[in-house]
Amino acid sequence: MPGPLDVDTGLPVPDPTIPFWQVPSHPLANVSSGKLLSSTDVVIIGSGMTGCSVAKGLLQGDSNIRITVLEARGLASGATSRNGGHIVSPSVGDFVELVECFGVPAAVEIAEFTLRNIEKTFEAVAEFPESTLAEDSKIRRTTKILAYTDQTSFDNAQHSLQVWNEHMPASRRDLFKLIGPEEAKAKYGIRNVAGAGVGPGAAVCPYRLWCGLWSLISEMYRDRLSIETFTPALSVSEAEPVEDMPSQYVVKTSRGNITASHVIYCTNGFTSHLLPALRGKLFPFRGTMSAQDLGPHHPNHGADRSWSLMSTPQVDSKSGVRSASLYYLTQDPDTRYMMLGGEYEKPEVLVSSDDSTMNSLSAEEIAKVLPRHFETAAPPQIKSLWSGIMGFSRDGVPIIGRLPEYVTKRSGRGEWIAAGFNGYGTGYCLSCGLAIADMLLGKDVSSWVPSALLVTEERLQGSLSSSGFWDTLVGTGAPDDARNRAASDSPKVNGGVLHAQNMTYLPIPRRPRLYHKSIGSQGKPESSLYECTQTPRYALAS
């Protein structure tokens, strides 16, 4: 019997909410050719940051390759342009989880991969110094303030940073400095927190960045790149075999069929519609984002700061509502608007691929967050409110590589995937896309791509089939001592942060994976796999 995560996402809905970032629309928003090509070398499904990265890598790596990009709606109009505007690695905060799940060497590989991804993003912009891409996208380095709203989450941060400093290369140590609540309030204006971590960050207008990159590469490779917006891929099948010829695929679209040697799925939360074998392993999560005006007297730190608010995950045992363990925040340096995202909702509402509507409780709660933690002269004015669909993998890390027949049910070797970024697309997508390009071109990526991200039959049948994700998400899969701990028994936090009654405290770490029972002295797993249920943070492709 299908479980709550085994959903057919369908195609992206035709009438999504409109993000602040997409106004006004980019000149290429509705780009398409007059007539769809009947054949090409590579079909990329999805025009977000991953699809753009794959196309860029292939076009720069092969002077003859021809590419057609299929997009169900407008250019880069999915989660790529619906997120919080952070360029961030999740690995600092998640490092203990990564060590527990994959061992120290793999955790270090994943952390390095995401940190390098941030630098690659800036390098991608620097490739076009004569363009206005940097100015248009507002890409900038910031001081990141990661505030912890309760003592438990702050204690976990201290432990994670200690483990990070113990195992990461010297150049990566002490990335974040931990400060107490008094300093957080006096220096950064954040109140009602148990402490904060301060370190390097980055921010951007995501829609302008990726549409801008599409514009530049389409100009450079106009004879070999075709972008077809409002042309959804309806199905993929094998073409009739031709003797002594490699396998070909037929991609059926709303405008006709196109034949290709390779098909690359850059469809994130919508992937399982075209690949039913991934249902339950890769699924959609609907996130909530807002643009809020705190008035002309609120400080404008958009050019130099970005923020996140972390807390211990909680589930209301009566209503089933799960509180956000993460709110993420940037500030637009021109309008001064605070760009805030996060969730407060029932899990069955969050598991959705419909971004034409909002998570109603999240939309209501999001207006209360900024006055709780910042000095505000008046209640914030909500200038824009929208939703977006993230892609979550059941084991908490992306799925990339050549798809096996186990998934496609087809014998060819020309289908590829880069999806499941778990709300951290800006920490993974560019590098994952470039990795797929290199793999397709026959290059060895083993020196820089973590093996833990690769799609294998073992992973598909193991960690991507873990059964405990949903139970933990709704609060029924936590250990008994955590599940039965009443809110009234939990320690109070400096600044007077109070928690609602009937809230169940879930354990940290927060993601479901199969991991090794013990880690040896060299950081290598010593025993067999077993299931570890952990609850995910929510970040709209932050």
Side-chain angles (χ1 to χ4, degrees):
M1 181 177 178
L5 303 180
D6 301 321
V7 295
D8 178 359
T9 63
L11 293 171
V13 298
D15 55 344
T17 54
I18 305 300
F20 170 86
W21 307 118
Q22 290 183 21
V23 180
S25 60
H26 191 272
L28 290 184
N30 302 333
V31 65
S32 66
S33 60
K35 183 179 180 181
L36 188 71
L37 294 173
S38 61
S39 66
T40 189
D41 295 320
V42 178
V43 166
I44 297 173
I45 306 175
S47 71
M49 60 181 85
T50 311
C52 184
S53 304
V54 174
K56 180 175 180 291
L58 289 174
L59 291 164
Q60 291 177 338
D62 185 325
S63 60
N64 296 309
I65 201 164
R66 298 173 303 136
I67 297 172
T68 296
V69 178
L70 303 177
E71 171 55 57
R73 302 188 297 204
L75 186 70
S77 62
T80 288
S81 59
R82 296 173 175 274
N83 61 64
H86 281 279
I87 305 175
V88 63
S89 163
S91 299
V92 178
D94 288 353
F95 193 69
V96 168
E97 296 180 56
L98 295 173
V99 169
E100 290 176 339
C101 295
F102 303 111
V104 170
V108 172
E109 285 182 359
I110 294 170
E112 286 287 348
F113 185 80
T114 59
L115 291 169
R116 285 196 302 266
N117 187 80
I118 297 172
E119 298 310 314
K120 286 184 178 181
T121 305
F122 281 88
E123 290 166 7
V125 175
E127 285 183 39
F128 304 96
E130 304 303 319
S131 75
T132 60
L133 182 59
E135 178 183 354
D136 294 343
S137 68
K138 307 178 188 179
I139 191 168
R140 57 207 185 269
R141 307 275 184 177
T142 66
T143 296
K144 173 68 178 288
I145 301 100
L146 180 52
Y148 301 92
T149 65
D150 61 87
Q151 193 62 47
T152 300
S153 60
F154 189 49
D155 291 344
N156 276 282
Q158 294 180 74
H159 177 57
S160 186
L161 190 58
Q162 179 183 356
V163 177
W164 173 277
N165 287 334
E166 180 181 351
H167 295 294
M168 288 297 290
S171 61
R172 300 295 194 187
R173 294 171 191 167
D174 298 313
L175 273 183
F176 274 75
K177 171 191 174 185
L178 294 178
I179 61 175
E182 295 82 7
E183 186 175 354
K185 183 175 182 180
K187 192 170 183 178
Y188 299 106
I190 301 179
R191 61 184 184 177
N192 293 338
V193 297
V198 180
V204 72
C205 174
Y207 180 65
R208 304 298 157 187
L209 172 61
W210 293 99
C211 284
L213 280 171
W214 274 124
S215 180
L216 290 163
I217 64 174
S218 62
E219 181 67 23
M220 293 176 65
Y221 304 104
R222 64 179 67 183
D223 296 332
R224 298 193 285 125
L225 174 63
S226 173
I227 304 174
E228 309 291 347
T229 61
F230 295 95
T231 307
L234 304 178
S235 66
V236 178
S237 60
E238 278 189 290
E240 289 294 325
V242 177
E243 189 175 356
D244 297 327
M245 292 289 289
S247 297
Q248 294 276 298
Y249 299 91
V250 177
V251 182
K252 181 181 179 182
T253 82
S254 59
R255 295 168 54 207
N257 295 348
I258 182 169
T259 303
S261 300
H262 297 273
V263 178
I264 306 174
Y265 300 87
C266 301
T267 39
N268 207 21
F270 294 92
T271 303
S272 63
H273 178 60
L274 293 172
L275 295 169
L278 291 182
R279 291 175 191 170
K281 306 176 191 304
L282 177 60
F283 51 91
F285 245 64
R286 184 170 57 203
T288 305
M289 263 298 300
S290 67
Q292 304 188 30
D293 186 1
L294 294 183
H297 301 297
H298 187 77
N300 186 355
H301 288 295
D304 55 32
R305 289 184 189 174
S306 55
W307 307 262
S308 289
L309 298 163
M310 294 290 303
S311 61
T312 304
Q314 306 166 32
V315 174
D316 188 307
S317 59
K318 289 186 176 180
S319 69
V321 171
R322 187 190 187 282
S323 68
S325 58
L326 171 65
Y327 281 103
Y328 40 98
L329 174 67
T330 61
Q331 186 176 23
D332 182 76
D334 296 331
T335 64
R336 307 167 64 101
Y337 293 168
M338 306 294 275
M339 315 301 291
L340 177 69
E343 302 313 315
Y344 180 83
E345 193 58 81
K346 293 182 179 181
E348 59 267 29
V349 176
L350 294 169
V351 181
S352 172
S353 59
D354 182 359
D355 54 6
S356 69
T357 187
M358 303 292 302
N359 301 328
S360 58
L361 294 178
S362 297
E364 180 181 343
E365 183 68 18
I366 210 165
K368 305 173 185 177
V369 175
L370 294 177
R372 193 180 301 150
H373 296 290
F374 293 87
E375 295 289 346
T376 57
Q381 295 183 35
I382 305 297
K383 294 295 186 179
S384 183
L385 196 63
W386 66 94
S387 59
I389 307 305
M390 297 172 272
F392 270 67
S393 66
R394 199 184 274 262
D395 64 4
V397 293
I399 304 170
I400 69 172
R402 190 197 305 267
L403 284 164
E405 185 176 349
Y406 175 82
V407 171
T408 66
K409 313 304 180 187
R410 294 178 279 273
S411 59
R413 290 174 51 79
E415 293 183 74
W416 308 79
I417 187 173
F421 303 107
N422 299 281
Y424 285 100
T426 58
Y428 282 109
C429 285
L430 175 57
S431 292
C432 287
L434 295 176
I436 292 295
D438 280 358
M439 291 179 199
L440 190 151
L441 296 175
K443 298 179 182 179
D444 182 6
V445 300
S446 60
S447 65
W448 64 278
V449 175
S451 60
L453 309 188
L454 299 178
V455 55
T456 64
E457 189 165 338
E458 179 185 9
R459 184 181 173 201
L460 288 162
Q461 295 179 346
S463 60
L464 287 172
S465 297
S466 166
S467 62
F469 188 99
W470 180 257
D471 287 343
T472 305
L473 185 63
V474 298
T476 60
D480 289 341
D481 58 342
R483 188 161 57 232
N484 297 327
R485 190 189 314 160
S488 58
D489 294 335
S490 63
K492 297 300 183 287
V493 176
N494 292 335
V497 178
L498 300 177
H499 301 295
Q501 295 294 320
N502 305 313
M503 299 299 279
T504 297
Y505 284 74
L506 298 181
I508 294 179
R510 302 171 177 82
R511 291 192 178 127
R513 301 190 183 109
L514 297 184
Y515 73 91
H516 293 269
K517 289 184 179 179
S518 60
I519 304 298
S521 60
Q522 302 302 313
K524 297 180 179 179
E526 291 185 333
S527 58
S528 59
L529 295 171
Y530 81 111
E531 184 175 328
C532 170
T533 53
Q534 303 164 353
T535 308
R537 299 175 183 138
Y538 304 134
L540 182 53
S542 59

